[in-house]
Amino acid sequence: LLTKETLYSWTAYVHLWNGIPGAHQFSQQLYGDPHVALQHEFPSHLSRLDDAVEHELGDILEIGIQHTLLGYFLPSVSSALFTSILDEATAGPRRSPKRRLGITRHQLGSHHPLKGCTDCFEEAKLTHGRAFWRVDHQYPSTLACCEHERLLNTLLHPSPTNLRTAWLLPNPLDCKQWSPTDTKGLSSLKNLRALAHLSAEWAASEPGAFTPAALASTYFEVWREESGQRSEMPGRQLGFVASLAQHKYGDIGCFQRAFCFQSETCPTWNGFFHDLITPDRNGCIHPMKHLLAISLLFNSWRGFVDRYRSQCPTPNARPLLNRTSADRHPKTDPVGSND
């Protein structure tokens, strides 16, 4: 398992190396379920995987967090919720956590297509002998490669994730499978790269690192300072942030199209950010909303973290950033390769 490689990508290559006839048969052998291995978004049956590879991958729970989308969605959920989701990912049934994480009710869509940078694929082939899906490119708020300063391409596939019968692996030469990001009317590549960087830092944070109430308080205090208004009315706060979003990222419809939102109606920026000031008790707010607010109100990730800590000075507050985005992916040697 390579640095930043998705668990899905690694599993696909292990299957190819071992020559087992079908993907479903291999999934059954590795995970104890014929479909789990073909799900590229969230992990399941991790304890069974750990036994199958004789614990060679290391801490299997950390693998599930670092090499799937789980690490992106857990930093701002309640401790009870993330503990339950991690328990299910380790030993529970094959059940997607999308509903429990609030992914399906935020006008952002629950579909997460595979994305990639063709330059990264070519470099990986030269360095490791194979192109692979990078987990940091799969985050819903990431449309740009920070290393190569270019937009990501999206892999087109007609079958939904739960109906796939074969692996989808990156092949930069097959242009028919790729769709370039539609950035017409959208913000500059510089802004999208900055958002991708924030997304990686967010995903590197510990599960439950941020509390919804403290995040809302942090945004509100910065808004009052930046706007020069002392109003306690949430509507004015939303209006200010919405105007910043319009200026930095462009029209909400263009933003919706570029990020593949699947909402049937086009939201307004005010509606997009409304959840941030009225969080539910589980903190089930899509990370993209937090990341856009952070990108609008703070000059850097460190600036956000420092301000958040000033809002949460209690000694019992959960730790932030025990790792950096770089060392959240410490494993660099392939496991299960045919070398």
Side-chain angles (χ1 to χ4, degrees):
L1 184 61
L2 300 171
T3 301
K4 298 184 180 180
E5 183 177 17
T6 64
L7 189 59
Y8 169 85
S9 178
W10 171 82
T11 305
Y13 280 110
V14 173
H15 177 214
L16 296 176
W17 294 329
N18 284 276
I20 297 174
H24 286 162
Q25 181 181 346
F26 181 68
S27 179
Q28 180 69 44
Q29 179 177 326
L30 203 59
Y31 289 91
D33 183 282
H35 303 284
V36 166
L38 292 166
Q39 312 293 312
H40 73 265
E41 298 163 295
F42 297 100
S44 181
H45 295 67
L46 289 175
S47 60
R48 178 64 180 265
L49 171 65
D50 196 29
D51 292 338
V53 300
E54 299 179 345
H55 316 294
E56 288 189 49
L57 289 173
D59 187 329
I60 198 64
L61 193 55
E62 284 295 298
I63 294 297
I65 295 173
Q66 296 172 19
H67 294 271
T68 75
L69 289 182
L70 261 189
Y72 176 84
F73 282 97
L74 293 183
S76 63
V77 301
S78 67
S79 57
L81 180 57
F82 80 69
T83 298
S84 174
I85 289 175
L86 293 180
D87 287 343
E88 287 192 1
T90 303
R94 180 173 58 89
R95 182 172 64 180
S96 172
K98 291 181 180 180
R99 182 185 62 80
R100 300 181 68 197
L101 289 171
I103 297 173
T104 59
R105 65 172 189 268
H106 283 298
Q107 296 183 312
L108 302 180
S110 59
H111 177 55
H112 305 119
L114 287 161
K115 297 174 290 186
C117 166
T118 53
D119 287 343
C120 286
F121 295 153
E122 294 299 334
E123 286 186 2
K125 288 170 65 177
L126 292 174
T127 305
H128 304 292
R130 59 188 174 93
F132 61 87
W133 298 115
R134 287 179 51 148
V135 67
D136 55 328
H137 287 171
Q138 310 314 315
Y139 301 148
S141 50
T142 297
L143 284 185
C145 176
C146 295
E147 295 180 14
H148 296 104
E149 301 183 7
R150 62 175 299 167
L151 294 171
L152 301 178
N153 289 325
T154 301
L155 183 67
L156 302 176
H157 196 271
S159 299
T161 303
N162 61 341
L163 296 180
R164 290 175 187 164
T165 59
W167 308 107
L168 300 177
L169 289 172
N171 180 8
L173 299 179
D174 191 351
C175 299
K176 294 180 181 180
Q177 290 184 313
W178 291 100
S179 173
T181 300
D182 184 359
T183 58
K184 183 179 179 181
L186 202 60
S187 63
S188 67
L189 176 60
K190 178 181 178 181
N191 289 337
L192 296 178
R193 284 174 51 216
L195 185 59
H197 173 73
L198 290 175
S199 301
E201 294 288 357
W202 174 275
S205 303
E206 295 293 327
F210 308 105
T211 65
L215 284 168
S217 176
T218 301
Y219 302 147
F220 185 73
E221 290 302 318
V222 174
W223 162 76
R224 293 210 302 181
E225 293 175 6
E226 294 294 324
S227 67
Q229 299 185 30
R230 311 310 298 175
S231 173
E232 299 288 339
M233 297 177 63
R236 293 189 178 182
Q237 177 186 10
L238 287 175
F240 176 72
V241 176
S243 65
L244 292 179
Q246 180 73 29
H247 176 74
K248 187 168 186 176
Y249 292 107
D251 182 73
I252 183 67
C254 298
F255 191 86
Q256 182 184 36
R257 182 177 62 251
F259 283 88
C260 300
F261 296 174
Q262 293 185 313
S263 172
E264 295 182 357
T265 59
C266 181
T268 63
W269 280 120
N270 287 56
F272 183 89
F273 289 114
H274 185 267
D275 293 334
L276 296 183
I277 58 173
T278 57
D280 65 29
R281 59 186 178 85
N282 285 324
C284 291
I285 297 173
H286 200 292
M288 182 183 285
K289 298 189 177 187
H290 287 298
L291 288 162
L292 284 177
I294 293 168
S295 73
L296 296 172
L297 297 174
F298 300 90
N299 293 323
S300 67
W301 175 258
R302 178 53 54 190
F304 158 68
V305 169
D306 290 344
R307 187 57 181 262
Y308 178 84
R309 283 180 170 150
S310 72
Q311 298 295 128
C312 298
T314 59
N316 294 327
R318 286 189 289 265
L320 304 180
L321 304 187
N322 284 346
R323 307 174 183 85
T324 65
S325 56
D327 59 24
R328 273 297 294 268
H329 303 276
K331 188 175 286 294
T332 58
D333 297 327
V335 174
S337 68
N338 57 352
D339 295 339

